[in-house]
Amino acid sequence: MVLLSAPRWLRSRLTDRFWRVQEVLKYARHFRGRKNRCYSLAIRSVRRAFVKSTKARREKKRFLRALWITRIEAASLEHGLKYPSFISNLLKSQVELNRKMIADLAIYEPKTFKSLAALAQRRRQEGFLAALGDGKEPEGIFSRIVHHC
Amino acid sequence: SAFARCREEGLRSLLYPVSSIGLIPREVTWLLLVAKTSLTSPPWPEVKLPDPVEEAKYHAEVVQKVNKMIAMGQYGRLFAVVHFASKQWKITSEDLIMMDNVLEAECGDRIRMEKVLLVGADDFTLIGRPLLGKDLVRVEATVIEKTESWPKINMRFRRRHNYQKKKIIVNPQTVLRINTIEIFPCLS
């Protein structure tokens, strides 16, 4: 005869509780205090640690970019240029190095950085001259300035 | 002219040149016996570019020198800035590079990186605007390894709301070894 329902003395019990707990505790072994040993305390700290690492992966990009900008600013001030004019003039001269690269060059290749700063300075001066124009008045305008000649 | 008259009268010390302030004509206007005020010249420093003819000569000389140096091989270790896998890398020969993605090339394949932004040695640098020509630089690399990254854990948790999600992300990675960086003397 076939037994269709299981008898009451047959229970399904958890047999691998030890390994499930170890899976969590292995991430907590380097923590301080009881949260590296006791499961209830550890599971909370491990969850927070995972969430913090997830968020930090997004903020690391922002943080590193700010660091590069600081370094480029320091290096360009050594050559007499400010960061905004340095970057804008480099872009106007069609040099498309990103900030990570320029920061690395400023650290490890000082001569190259100096030449980039000189390029930016020259482009800046050319921009000023182009903005000032010829110095001639527009035609057909009666000027109030007296010319001594 | 007024300047000549002043020079005769020995009043040259009272004259000084006033450069153009935009509305005044380009020729220098000499103001007689007027004190120098804060509005006589513009507040920004005057910018003078070097003579274009002389500058062109100087540039040609520099280009020739660099060309000769490259032709004679008088450079030590070359470094290059290369745009690869949507990132910029500063590389030299015998360098290892790890990319966080898949490359459609088998292990041991030789690859040429074409988007070179900058090449430099100890005495000279060639800056591309934005890229250097393919006939000027040659960067060769070999694919060494194709693995997966360590399992990164993505977890979201909201307290008191019974909400948590855990995801394990494993990225494929490729390791390249930069074999050589070569430059050819074809500057103009």
Side-chain angles (χ1 to χ4, degrees):
Chain A
M1 58 182 181
V2 177
L3 292 172
L4 291 172
S5 54
R8 223 166 29 178
W9 45 265
L10 220 69
R11 300 183 294 158
S12 72
R13 303 185 64 202
L14 204 59
T15 44
D16 58 349
R17 186 172 284 119
F18 170 75
W19 292 282
R20 289 190 195 193
V21 157
Q22 286 307 304
E23 245 176 44
V24 167
L25 284 178
K26 82 175 181 225
Y27 290 109
R29 285 307 180 199
H30 63 278
F31 289 173
R32 198 183 198 209
R34 265 194 279 177
K35 50 190 197 278
N36 61 24
R37 298 184 290 279
C38 311
Y39 179 76
S40 340
L41 302 172
I43 183 73
R44 288 177 239 162
S45 302
V46 163
R47 248 184 231 139
R48 280 174 69 77
F50 285 161
V51 167
K52 286 183 188 210
S53 79
T54 319
K55 291 188 187 158
R57 247 177 272 138
R58 303 176 57 190
E59 285 174 17
K60 180 177 174 182
K61 302 158 180 60
R62 298 176 210 173
F63 167 72
L64 279 179
R65 186 173 163 122
L67 178 69
W68 296 328
I69 291 177
T70 317
R71 288 184 175 173
I72 298 172
E73 182 153 14
S76 61
L77 283 172
E78 282 180 6
H79 292 286
L81 268 177
K82 294 194 197 168
Y83 172 81
S85 56
F86 178 69
I87 288 280
S88 59
N89 291 116
L90 267 193
L91 283 171
K92 288 175 195 169
S93 331
Q94 294 151 332
V95 173
E96 266 158 46
L97 293 165
N98 63 10
R99 286 151 181 83
K100 169 175 135 195
M101 270 304 106
I102 304 178
D104 286 348
L105 289 176
I107 297 170
Y108 295 111
E109 317 281 343
K111 299 185 203 171
T112 310
F113 189 82
K114 184 171 181 180
S115 60
L116 285 173
L119 180 66
Q121 178 75 311
R122 175 57 190 262
R123 176 66 183 75
R124 188 170 187 237
Q125 286 168 347
E126 285 177 9
F128 288 158
L129 283 179
L132 283 174
D134 290 334
K136 294 200 180 76
E137 289 175 25
E139 287 157 27
I141 308 276
F142 217 150
S143 169
R144 292 160 80 211
I145 297 176
V146 181
H147 300 290
H148 298 275
C149 268
Chain B
S1 71
F3 175 53
R5 189 162 40 93
C6 276
R7 210 170 40 178
E8 290 159 20
E9 293 168 29
L11 291 168
R12 193 135 72 107
S13 54
L14 291 167
L15 291 180
Y16 64 96
V18 168
S19 52
S20 59
I21 312 180
L23 294 179
I24 301 176
R26 218 349 146 167
E27 315 88 61
V28 169
T29 319
W30 298 87
L31 285 176
L32 290 178
L33 303 175
V34 177
K36 195 169 175 190
T37 58
S38 61
L39 291 179
T40 42
S41 57
W44 52 82
E46 186 172 330
V47 158
K48 274 210 184 100
L49 288 186
D51 186 30
V53 169
E54 279 186 27
E55 209 181 10
K57 254 198 296 182
Y58 176 67
H59 285 337
E61 224 185 272
V62 168
V63 164
Q64 231 190 28
K65 253 197 228 174
V66 174
N67 235 353
K68 213 166 83 168
M69 278 179 79
I70 299 176
M72 310 273 268
Q74 283 166 0
Y75 47 81
R77 184 169 269 266
L78 284 171
F79 76 91
V81 170
V82 144
H83 185 281
F84 194 65
S86 77
K87 286 178 224 62
Q88 294 181 4
W89 311 82
K90 178 182 161 298
I91 51 178
T92 36
S93 47
E94 306 157 25
D95 235 358
L96 276 177
I97 278 188
M98 185 158 80
M99 302 155 25
D100 222 19
N101 53 21
V102 164
L103 202 58
E104 281 154 7
E106 301 307 311
C107 290
D109 283 355
R110 238 179 131 91
I111 288 181
R112 186 195 167 174
M113 299 192 186
E114 294 184 350
K115 294 187 203 160
V116 182
L117 295 151
L118 216 181
V119 161
D122 192 28
D123 294 321
F124 60 88
T125 341
L126 305 170
I127 305 179
R129 282 160 157 242
L131 295 175
L132 290 170
K134 296 213 288 195
D135 51 343
L136 188 52
V137 203
R138 197 184 166 89
V139 179
E140 302 238 308
T142 331
V143 181
I144 289 191
E145 207 185 321
K146 290 165 99 165
T147 47
E148 297 176 329
S149 73
W150 61 285
K152 299 188 190 174
I153 302 187
N154 222 3
M155 181 136 188
R156 296 187 210 209
F157 177 76
R158 222 161 274 174
R159 54 183 177 174
R160 298 186 293 265
H161 292 280
N162 195 20
Y163 169 76
Q164 62 173 335
K165 291 191 196 177
K166 184 168 160 184
K167 186 173 179 184
I168 300 186
I169 298 182
V170 175
N171 293 324
Q173 289 176 334
T174 324
V175 180
L176 298 172
R177 168 87 71 184
I178 311 291
N179 299 117
T180 49
I181 305 178
E182 291 153 9
I183 43 175
F184 309 105
C186 40
L187 290 170
S188 59

